[in-house]
Amino acid sequence: MLRIATCFVAGLLVLGTVHHASAQDAKPSRGHLSMAKLKEMKAKWMTNRPKLKACRKEVKVKGLTGDDRWFYIADCMERS
């Protein structure tokens, strides 16, 4: 019985440290984009198509997908 309790406590300690370490490695989320926000961003970008095309190439090279892709394009479009 003592051996089972000791193993259980050791398991809990290991799980606690693994959970704590993974929480520190996570990068903060910038939030999720709504369809209205995406449409607004895309409409604004369409006025400067050459720059948008260059930013899309950068995204493709980096292999970004989902919201990360949109945030990267937004940052790229704001750069000069």
Side-chain angles (χ1 to χ4, degrees):
M1 184 70 181
L2 182 60
R3 188 180 319 161
I4 294 172
T6 305
C7 288
F8 180 72
V9 169
L12 287 176
L13 288 173
V14 169
L15 286 176
T17 57
V18 169
H19 176 69
H20 182 66
S22 66
Q24 289 178 344
D25 294 340
K27 64 179 183 177
S29 176
R30 291 179 74 174
H32 292 284
L33 294 172
S34 65
M35 286 302 291
K37 178 70 174 172
L38 286 173
K39 287 180 183 180
E40 176 188 323
M41 289 165 64
K42 192 170 181 180
K44 188 169 95 177
W45 299 342
M46 285 298 153
T47 60
N48 193 352
R49 284 184 179 263
K51 192 171 185 178
L52 179 61
K53 189 174 182 180
C55 290
R56 282 184 175 166
K57 282 184 183 177
E58 288 181 32
V59 166
K60 194 170 190 176
V61 168
K62 290 185 179 269
L64 299 174
T65 58
D67 285 351
D68 290 336
R69 176 178 178 246
W70 289 103
F71 286 125
Y72 185 85
I73 291 175
D75 291 341
C76 178
M77 291 296 286
E78 290 174 6
R79 284 185 271 155
S80 52

